[in-house]
Amino acid sequence: QRHIEESGGGSVQTGGSLRLACRTAEYVFRSHCMGWFRKAPGGENEGVASIKPSGATLYADSVKGRFTVSKDTANNILYLHMNGLKEEDTGMYFCTEYYPAARCFLDDFGDLGVWGQGTQVTVFS
């Protein structure tokens, strides 16, 4: 199974910013949706944002206006820019690849083919 790895997590004060990144194969960017999911301590996995090969994006209501998902197609890197961070954004963040032809919805966990190992984001007041 293909390996993808996230980077960019850390600890930040409320209102601060972080940028997460993950790198995958070129053909994946051209044909698969990519997404960011997170798991809060003691909580369930939650879809945060997804991006289609076309560049169309979806966001969870809880992060709209604060988070931006983007991709650097020249270098096959997926980003999650997080601004205005809140304590409730704390959790393990995972970069994910959807199966081909997936709808890229944030609650379609069955369409997720590859998960990264995760990077921790901690927001404190």
Side-chain angles (χ1 to χ4, degrees):
Q1 183 173 350
R2 185 171 51 259
H3 172 75
I4 55 176
E5 187 170 338
E6 304 88 344
S7 62
S11 295
V12 64
Q13 204 163 12
T14 302
S17 300
L18 285 173
R19 186 184 73 171
L20 307 183
C22 83
R23 185 187 296 273
T24 188
E26 178 183 0
Y27 77 91
V28 172
F29 263 21
R30 285 189 278 109
S31 60
H32 296 235
C33 295
M34 299 286 297
W36 289 97
F37 285 70
R38 68 186 179 187
K39 188 175 187 299
E44 301 292 326
N45 285 323
E46 175 191 12
V48 175
S50 68
I51 186 166
K52 295 183 177 182
S54 65
T57 56
L58 285 175
Y59 294 95
D61 288 342
S62 59
V63 306
K64 279 181 183 175
R66 301 188 298 121
F67 290 12
T68 303
V69 59
S70 65
K71 52 184 180 179
D72 175 354
T73 53
N75 295 293
N76 308 319
I77 301 174
L78 180 75
Y79 293 108
L80 183 67
H81 306 264
M82 305 186 293
N83 298 316
L85 282 162
K86 305 176 181 180
E87 288 186 67
E88 51 263 44
D89 294 317
T90 293
M92 188 69 78
Y93 283 69
F94 301 91
C95 177
T96 61
E97 295 175 8
Y98 287 75
Y99 288 119
R103 297 178 301 170
C104 314
F105 290 170
L106 297 177
D107 56 357
D108 284 347
F109 291 98
D111 283 344
L112 300 174
V114 180
W115 289 71
Q117 64 184 17
T119 185
Q120 178 67 35
V121 171
T122 302
V123 185
F124 59 92
S125 59

